[in-house]
Amino acid sequence: VGGYWVGGLRDLRQPYHAVRRNFPVLGNMRFLLESIGPEVYQYFIEKRTEAAPFSKDDRAVVYQRAKDVNDTMSFGTRHDVYSEGFEWVSHSIWPKKVPPHHQRVLIGGPLCTHPYSAARLNISAMSYGALSDHAILALNTGAAAGNFYHNTGEGGVSRFHLAPAGDIVWNIGTGYFGCRDPDSATPKFYPDRFAARAVDPRVKMIELKISQGAKPGHGGMLPGAKVTEAIAEARGVEVGETCHSPPTHSAFSDARGLCRFIGQLRELSGGKPVGFKLCIGQKVEFATIVGAMIETGITPDFITVDGAEGGTGAAPPEFSNHVGFPMKDGLSFVHNILLGAGLRRDIKLIASGKVLTGFSMVRTAALGADVMNSARAFMFALGCIQSLKCANNTCPTGITTSNPVLMNGLVVETKAVRVENFQRNTLKNFFEMVGAMGLEDPGELSPRHVMIRMAGGSTSKSYEEVFPTMEEGALLRGDAGETGAEIQAVWDEAQEILKNTR
């Protein structure tokens, strides 16, 4: 009774919540129910095929493949195959098998002296600090066992990336973590620091981050209170120092500068593959970059196209929900403009954005991707239950937390095996689907192989009709045709921009 009165009086006197003032004690039930709302929805209300952002069926497939248990389904599809947006692939009555030499992709253009043989599915960029010690260790250990790469994210190469000796793609963002000038008050690239880390044999490729799908055009900040000794070591800052990632790079300010910086990184790394990652926004800006590649003669070895549907630990909802091109649209545009500019043969495309199953890989490869990255799928393999608490430091599975108690729940040895299992089993299904389509090489996939149900449910189209393919060199010749008229206009505008800024 005493507690009831104390709580009631406290509610009456507090100035923040009208519900608690008007309904003391009882009003607290609203906040209690609101706090457990996501769990109630996920376990009791959410439909199995409802993506929020990943459906129960999607998560179940990852869990089953990560545990290396039976992942088959009974009694047929749960999808409405006549609903708008339903997708499928066109199979062949003459199936084939994808041979081992088509199961990996050699990344490295004509200016690269140390090309890298990449798996078709790899771990996408997730920074140490956003992910826990144990999560990074488990991911890299799994990558080492399965012979696929682990992208560091822009937080730098940590001791937990290096210890298992798995292949690393070093992601360098606007904060230049791990290669920043220690004497500069603002993030500034430091060539000597970069070279010292880049020549490490565990670092296989360098990825320059221009933007990411979950929050393109938005910078970031890690409060000093979260910068531990290990994080400071990876990022090249002092313990307790607030880490700023501005929206833009200081090492370059235009398309030509980007190309020259890519050339500098390649030289400093000893000739390793260097590329950049971005989410497509204003198309003419990317076209200007491609035009600058032709003008300078400096091309990246790969480009990573990140979709707006990508995930992050924390982003303003306006940016996550309404900024940037989704992966399918962005990937198709990049693939076509490189084809039209005659550069596609020298530049490999990596795509990321809700890649999780063999079918999502086929669909992505059909739009032009040579290699695919996934972040959240590998988090599910680690045991993520989609509790949506990534930014609260209360992740119940120990993945996105620095809380040592919660982190210890993630057993590295067990989860590393599940990371390897998921990647291997997903690739197995991907290659089986490619073979079922009568192909021996995933590189033969094209938009015509994927079908989509249109509005009304009575008609369907191939992706080729939705995302038409550009002829090689067409933009240079100025004959992109009716289906490529929009890209031709973008290309012509970009060339004018380059001409006027010489």
Side-chain angles (χ1 to χ4, degrees), residues 102-143:
H102 286 318
Q103 294 181 10
R104 299 185 71 87
V105 175
L106 191 66
I107 300 178
L111 302 177
C112 174
T113 57
H114 290 85
Y116 172 67
S117 175
R120 296 277 181 176
L121 178 63
N122 304 275
I123 302 170
S124 196
M126 294 181 283
S127 296
Y128 170 59
L131 266 59
S132 69
D133 308 4
H134 287 198
I136 295 293
L137 278 170
L139 288 171
N140 199 264
T141 302

Side-chain angles (χ1 to χ4, degrees), residues 65-121:
R65 291 177 179 171
K67 295 174 184 177
D68 211 13
V69 298
N70 181 25
D71 64 348
T72 59
M73 65 184 302
S74 304
F75 225 63
T77 182
R78 274 68 160 169
H79 295 277
D80 179 0
V81 299
Y82 296 102
S83 63
E84 179 181 350
F86 178 76
E87 297 171 323
W88 69 95
V89 300
S90 303
H91 69 284
S92 170
I93 60 173
W94 314 115
K96 294 182 179 179
K97 186 174 181 179
V98 178
H101 63 276
H102 286 318
Q103 294 181 10
R104 299 185 71 87
V105 175
L106 191 66
I107 300 178
L111 302 177
C112 174
T113 57
H114 290 85
Y116 172 67
S117 175
R120 296 277 181 176
L121 178 63

Side-chain angles (χ1 to χ4, degrees), residues 370-397:
D370 300 292
V371 172
M372 282 140 277
N373 289 347
S374 184
R376 287 169 292 181
F378 281 100
M379 290 175 68
F380 291 138
L382 287 175
C384 170
I385 59 173
Q386 196 169 275
S387 64
L388 309 181
K389 299 183 184 296
C390 305
N392 300 339
N393 202 34
T394 57
C395 172
T397 57

